Amino acid sequence: MTQATESYNPDVLTCLANLSSDEVFTPPTLANQMLDLLPEDLWSDPNARFLDPACKSGVFLREIARRLDEGLEGQVPDRQERINHILRNQVYGMAITELTALLSRRSLYCSKTANGKYSVCDSFGKNEQGNILFDRVEHTWKNGRCSFCGASQAGYERGEALETHAYTFIHTEDPKEMFDMQFDVIIGNPPYQLSDGGFGRSASPIYHQFVQQAKKMQPRFLTMIIPARWFAGGKGLDEFRAEMMSDDRISHLVDFQNATDVFPGVDVAGGICYFLWERDYHGPCEVTNVRGTERHTASRPLDEFGIVVRNSEAVPIIRKVISHHENGGQTLADRVSPRNPFGISATLEPTDAGTPCWFMQRIG
């Protein structure tokens, strides 16, 4: 007698290869961790609306629809009627490419077209896109750069045969014009960067533009997963860093110092984080640091120290040091310069004998 074995039936969205290290598919487990931050009563609200402005696999919309299907069962008992209502009136997306538009529709509607033969929604009529939109948009070139996203004209003026990577959501001054409605939740994993035509593989971040555009739409909740490089600022991120640190509507911040803990096989320098921004909340942020299997959480203002302190375990130590007001309240940062420390240039070349030039100057 042979024992029955369970067949392995994986979620297809866990098996997708990433488009690149800049356009990364979100694992379903991670998508649900982000959705868990939202209030439970959203899933039983037939009027709540959700938008993913950077659809790739459609995982966010699929998981939202699944939760709404369960939450609305008592109010709309008929399954087909319930699904039609959810897909027609509650979940919306904007794909980043034509390929991801097809993929996202397949995930949400079970068909590459919303009104296809196998679509689970039968109320779209002649509308093939459904609520997952993709319109080819061109960059707006000015002095060799796109005036919206900063992309290099030399790198992205490709003709009609290739994708422009001019993402619709951030190529407009007023994102509210795209939809004649108010969204309760905006959620997504936006593209991270675009080549800016600089030396080597130079690229400029664009993920912060998706966050800023989403805030303009004033949703009740905004949650996105983005690189954590904004913690340090630099290369177009200084203003965004200051904006995020001073925004007391960020109620949760989950930080992964190693990006492979979230996206296996993907190297995102500086790690990855996701956050929850609440329009009607004002207060401290619950910061969770994740290092492998270790998690440490602390509630604190993000701008408490003027910089983003990444390690929450260090916060009480910093507070204790500051409370002593030693040396007139000065810190090491007040006494040591990160550039040319002690007046010694870090750009001087060593001699052929291996002795630093500055040393030779002083003993010569």
Side-chain angles (χ1 to χ4, degrees):
M1 181 177 178
T2 59
Q3 291 183 339
T5 58
E6 294 184 3
S7 61
Y8 178 54
N9 185 24
D11 185 337
V12 66
L13 297 189
T14 67
C15 306
L16 295 174
N18 289 303
L19 301 175
S20 69
S21 59
D22 305 324
E23 296 175 348
V24 182
F25 289 122
T26 309
T29 300
L30 178 61
N32 278 292
Q33 289 174 6
M34 296 169 66
L35 292 172
D36 286 343
L37 294 178
L38 299 172
E40 189 68 26
D41 60 5
L42 276 172
W43 313 121
S44 57
D45 183 354
N47 298 311
R49 294 193 181 103
F50 302 80
L51 171 67
D52 179 354
C55 288
K56 292 187 287 293
S57 69
V59 64
F60 289 110
L61 301 183
R62 188 194 71 174
E63 294 305 303
I64 288 169
R66 182 181 61 80
R67 292 184 181 219
L68 289 170
D69 183 34
E70 295 177 2
L72 294 174
E73 185 175 3
Q75 301 177 57
V76 188
D78 183 83
R79 183 79 186 281
Q80 187 59 60
E81 182 183 348
R82 187 165 69 250
I83 290 174
N84 286 347
H85 172 79
I86 293 167
L87 300 185
R88 190 70 181 86
N89 303 299
Q90 294 195 261
V91 289
Y92 299 80
M94 302 176 69
I96 62 171
T97 65
E98 186 174 6
L99 174 63
T100 60
L102 298 173
L103 181 57
S104 296
R105 293 187 197 113
R106 177 63 180 81
S107 297
L108 185 61
Y109 306 131
C110 299
S111 171
K112 67 179 182 180
T113 57
N115 62 352
K117 178 180 178 180
Y118 300 105
S119 175
V120 295
C121 181
D122 58 17
S123 63
F124 279 113
K126 296 182 179 181
N127 181 1
E128 292 188 349
Q129 292 199 59
N131 287 338
I132 299 180
L133 310 180
F134 175 74
D135 294 313
R136 182 182 175 92
V137 174
E138 301 294 336
H139 292 281
T140 302
W141 304 120
K142 184 177 181 179
N143 299 325
R145 294 274 188 275
C146 176
S147 59
F148 285 102
C149 68
S152 163
Q153 184 173 3
Y156 289 96
E157 193 172 40
R158 302 170 167 180
E160 296 183 0
L162 297 175
E163 295 282 0
T164 65
H165 294 282
Y167 305 115
T168 306
F169 191 64
I170 61 173
H171 282 74
T172 178
E173 295 289 348
D174 185 5
K176 292 181 179 180
E177 294 179 350
M178 299 178 187
F179 296 93
D180 186 21
M181 63 185 70
Q182 180 68 35
F183 289 98
D184 295 273
V185 177
I186 297 180
I187 185 171
N189 177 11
Y192 297 159
Q193 61 186 29
L194 284 176
S195 172
D196 57 15
F199 180 76
R201 299 179 62 186
S202 177
S204 295
I206 59 169
Y207 58 88
H208 61 296
Q209 297 183 38
F210 283 83
V211 177
Q212 291 168 329
Q213 286 287 75
K215 286 184 179 181
K216 290 180 183 179
M217 298 184 74
Q218 286 293 300
R220 289 173 57 199
F221 304 98
L222 165 62
T223 178
M224 286 190 175
I225 183 162
I226 58 178
R229 288 193 292 264
W230 67 266
F231 291 178
K235 199 158 190 178
L237 292 173
D238 289 340
E239 182 179 340
F240 179 69
R241 173 178 173 269
E243 174 188 319
M244 292 287 280
M245 287 177 60
S246 62
D247 195 340
D248 63 358
R249 293 169 292 182
I250 300 176
S251 61
H252 293 77
L253 176 64
V254 182
D255 170 37
F256 299 84
Q257 295 189 17
N258 188 344
T260 59
D261 289 339
V262 197
F263 303 127
V266 177
D267 181 21
V268 180
I272 287 287
C273 69
Y274 63 85
F275 65 90
L276 175 65
W277 177 93
E278 302 185 43
R279 183 189 64 200
D280 302 323
Y281 172 82
H282 294 279
C285 179
E286 183 179 288
V287 181
T288 300
N289 303 111
V290 183
R291 295 188 296 276
T293 59
E294 297 181 11
R295 298 175 71 94
H296 186 84
T297 301
S299 180
R300 55 190 173 91
L302 288 179
D303 62 349
E304 181 176 1
F305 304 110
I307 60 172
V308 179
V309 176
R310 189 166 201 176
N311 192 338
S312 292
E313 294 172 290
V315 170
I317 300 174
I318 298 173
R319 288 172 177 162
K320 185 174 181 179
V321 170
I322 292 175
S323 68
H324 284 282
H325 297 291
E326 295 180 356
N327 299 316
Q330 286 189 328
T331 65
L332 186 63
D334 299 317
R335 292 170 172 263
V336 177
S337 169
R339 180 172 175 81
N340 299 340
F342 310 109
I344 302 168
S345 174
T347 61
L348 294 176
E349 296 292 333
T351 65
D352 291 339
T355 307
C357 294
W358 62 266
F359 183 72
M360 294 296 293
Q361 292 169 356
R362 281 159 177 72
I363 66 173

